[in-house]
């Protein structure tokens, strides 16, 4: 019976240690997700490069016309 109690306490301590170390792992997971999102945005901007450039040029012309 004492052996079972010692094993349960040891298991509890190990579980507690694993939960404490989870913080760093969670931060790493967020970093990976942010990296994937950035890669997707860069890819989309690369695919629609000409459309974005044309839209920015039109916008700049309108702003220039309004300011003159």
């Amino acid at each position: 019976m004492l052996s079972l109690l010692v094993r349960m306490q040891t298991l509890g301590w190990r579980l507690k240690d694993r939960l404490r170390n989870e913080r760093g792992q969670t931060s790493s997971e967020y970093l990976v997700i942010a990296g994937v999102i950035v890669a997707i945005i860069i890819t989309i901007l690369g695919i629609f490069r000409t459309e974005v450039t044309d839209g920015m040029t039109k916008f700049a012309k309108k702003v220039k016309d309004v300011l003159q």
Side-chain angles (χ1 to χ4, degrees):
M1 190 67 164
L2 183 60
S3 174
L4 178 63
L5 180 62
V6 170
R7 286 184 186 182
M8 293 299 287
Q9 284 178 338
T10 305
L11 180 63
W13 290 330
R14 286 182 184 170
L15 183 61
K16 198 175 186 181
D17 287 340
R18 284 188 181 191
L19 290 176
R20 265 193 232 136
N21 293 334
E22 182 99 12
R23 291 181 191 153
Q25 183 178 0
T26 304
S27 298
S28 299
E29 290 168 354
Y30 288 145
L31 184 61
V32 169
I33 291 170
V36 170
I37 291 171
V38 168
I40 290 170
I41 291 172
I42 289 172
T43 302
I44 290 172
L45 288 176
I47 291 171
F48 296 109
R49 172 178 59 231
T50 55
E51 288 84 358
V52 171
T53 304
D54 292 343
M56 290 174 66
T57 304
K58 288 179 185 177
F59 178 74
K61 285 181 183 179
K62 287 183 181 181
V63 169
K64 186 177 178 181
D65 290 342
V66 169
L67 294 177
Q68 288 182 352

